[in-house]
Amino acid sequence: MKTLQPAFFLFVFVPLVKSAPPIQQEPFKFYDYDTDVTMGSLIHQDYEIQSKEIKKDATNVSLDTALRLQGDDSERSVKPTKDTNLPTCLLCVCLSGSVYCEEIDIEAVPPLPKETAYLYARFNKIKRIAVSDFADITTLRRIDFSGNRIEEIEDGAFSKLLLLEELSLAENRLVKLPVLPPKLTTFNANQNRIKSRGIKANAFKKLTNLAYLYLGHNALESVPLNLPESLRILHLQYNNITTITDDTFCKSNNTRYIRTRMDEIRMEGNPILLAKHVNAFSCLRTLPVGTYY
């Protein structure tokens, strides 16, 4: 009987010990030592969130805040250039030397990155162009100010733009033309208030690359003088032109002179009967578009 007691104890209690559940331990939490989340990536994620907020409300972001975020971001793979003007490039679109500031109601020419080649600032509320606007931007090749409210352009505003080829001042309120840069190929001043006295006698004479000149829908009383030989297209429609001389397009003292590059002259909508001035077109390969009878 004594021999059976130990055997009975093992038979009853050992299975109970084996079937007891293991002690449940609280899992170890990796708050500070998680190898998948480094401090650098946390900063990077925080910057991305703040950057998205900046883009949603760019006009409320101050320069100091934007520069601070830029300086704290050590993980960015693409670094901004030193010439990037952050306020302008938040307000406008800056892309590969081009600045697009269209229909954003600006009232003055914005500060531009120094290497800007193309500026599109159409349909805004700009009233004046100053010399200081382009004093340091000598790389400009094209400027478009169409559809603004420009009344005044300071003397010399475009004098340093020696690479400028295309300039549009159409649909503004100009009464006179500024001094134009020497390498212009295209100049558009349609739909302004320009009168003949607002164009100097030699305004176009030295523009030896000028091919396209648009002065339609103004208040000109006569055709501008000293038009360059390079001119191909001339638009003067809907002005107040009443007179043309034999030297307007041709040379009265040289009957063999031909304007070989001139392809088109538009003069419709002027109070002049072109049939009365036949000799004025003798050097042209095609007659101007306008009223003859």
Side-chain angles (χ1 to χ4, degrees):
M1 187 66 179
K2 293 181 179 179
T3 307
L4 294 175
Q5 287 180 352
F8 178 78
F9 177 82
L10 293 174
F11 177 80
V12 174
F13 290 100
V14 169
L16 294 177
V17 173
K18 291 183 178 180
S19 62
I23 299 173
Q24 297 294 324
Q25 296 183 357
E26 184 178 358
F28 191 76
K29 296 182 180 179
F30 294 93
Y31 287 118
D32 297 328
Y33 305 98
D34 188 349
T35 56
D36 292 333
V37 182
T38 64
M39 183 61 68
S41 61
L42 287 173
I43 294 175
H44 184 70
Q45 292 174 4
D46 182 62
Y47 175 82
E48 290 182 342
I49 293 172
Q50 294 185 52
S51 297
K52 291 180 180 178
E53 293 176 353
I54 291 173
K55 292 180 180 178
K56 289 181 180 178
D57 192 9
T59 56
N60 294 329
V61 180
S62 66
L63 176 59
D64 291 338
T65 301
L67 289 177
R68 176 174 55 78
L69 292 174
Q70 180 180 341
D72 290 343
D73 182 16
S74 60
E75 300 292 329
R76 294 183 63 183
S77 60
V78 180
K79 296 182 180 180
T81 61
K82 62 180 180 180
D83 292 330
T84 299
N85 189 297
L86 192 59
T88 296
C89 292
L90 281 175
L91 183 65
C92 308
V93 176
C94 301
L95 180 65
S96 300
S98 298
V99 178
Y100 299 87
C101 298
E102 300 179 316
E103 299 184 87
I104 56 174
D105 293 337
I106 54 176
E107 298 182 359
V109 179
L112 300 173
K114 289 185 179 180
E115 296 182 358
T116 301
Y118 305 97
L119 170 62
Y120 302 92
R122 298 180 293 185
F123 309 112
N124 286 293
K125 298 179 180 179
I126 300 172
K127 296 182 179 179
R128 184 171 180 271
I129 298 176
V131 173
S132 58
D133 290 335
F134 303 114
D136 299 322
I137 316 297
T138 59
T139 54
L140 279 164
R141 293 181 178 274
R142 180 186 301 161
I143 297 175
D144 194 342
F145 283 127
S146 301
N148 278 275
R149 304 175 183 178
I150 301 171
E151 298 178 349
E152 180 187 0
I153 299 177
E154 284 187 357
D155 291 337
F158 303 120
S159 62
K160 293 185 178 181
L161 305 182
L162 301 181
L163 299 179
L164 193 67
E165 297 176 351
E166 300 179 30
L167 174 61
S168 179
L169 301 171
E171 300 179 56
N172 279 282
R173 303 174 183 178
L174 293 172
V175 295
K176 64 178 182 177
L177 293 184
V179 176
L180 301 173
K183 291 191 177 181
L184 273 187
T185 61
T186 303
F187 178 61
N188 189 344
N190 281 340
Q191 298 186 33
N192 277 274
R193 305 170 183 177
I194 303 168
K195 295 186 176 182
S196 292
R197 64 174 177 268
I199 301 179
K200 296 180 180 180
N202 294 323
F204 304 110
K205 185 176 183 179
K206 296 182 179 180
L207 304 184
T208 57
N209 295 324
L210 187 65
Y212 306 94
L213 178 58
Y214 303 103
L215 295 171
H217 297 270
N218 277 282
L220 300 175
E221 299 90 0
S222 60
V223 178
L225 300 175
N226 299 313
L227 297 173
E229 295 291 328
S230 57
L231 207 58
R232 293 180 55 190
I233 306 294
L234 175 63
H235 284 190
L236 297 167
Q237 69 272 25
Y238 296 98
N239 277 277
N240 295 322
I241 298 174
T242 56
T243 60
I244 294 178
T245 68
D246 292 350
D247 292 320
T248 298
F249 301 112
C250 305
K251 298 179 180 179
S252 58
N253 60 351
N254 186 354
T255 58
R256 295 183 179 182
Y257 169 71
I258 301 294
R259 272 191 178 268
T260 57
R261 297 185 181 180
M262 185 71 79
D263 294 327
E264 178 182 290
I265 299 176
R266 289 186 56 182
M267 296 189 66
E268 73 271 21
N270 284 281
I272 184 173
L273 192 60
L274 298 180
K276 293 183 177 181
H277 305 276
V278 177
N279 292 335
F281 314 129
S282 61
C283 66
L284 303 178
R285 296 187 298 177
T286 58
L287 291 175
V289 176
T291 303
Y292 286 87
Y293 301 102

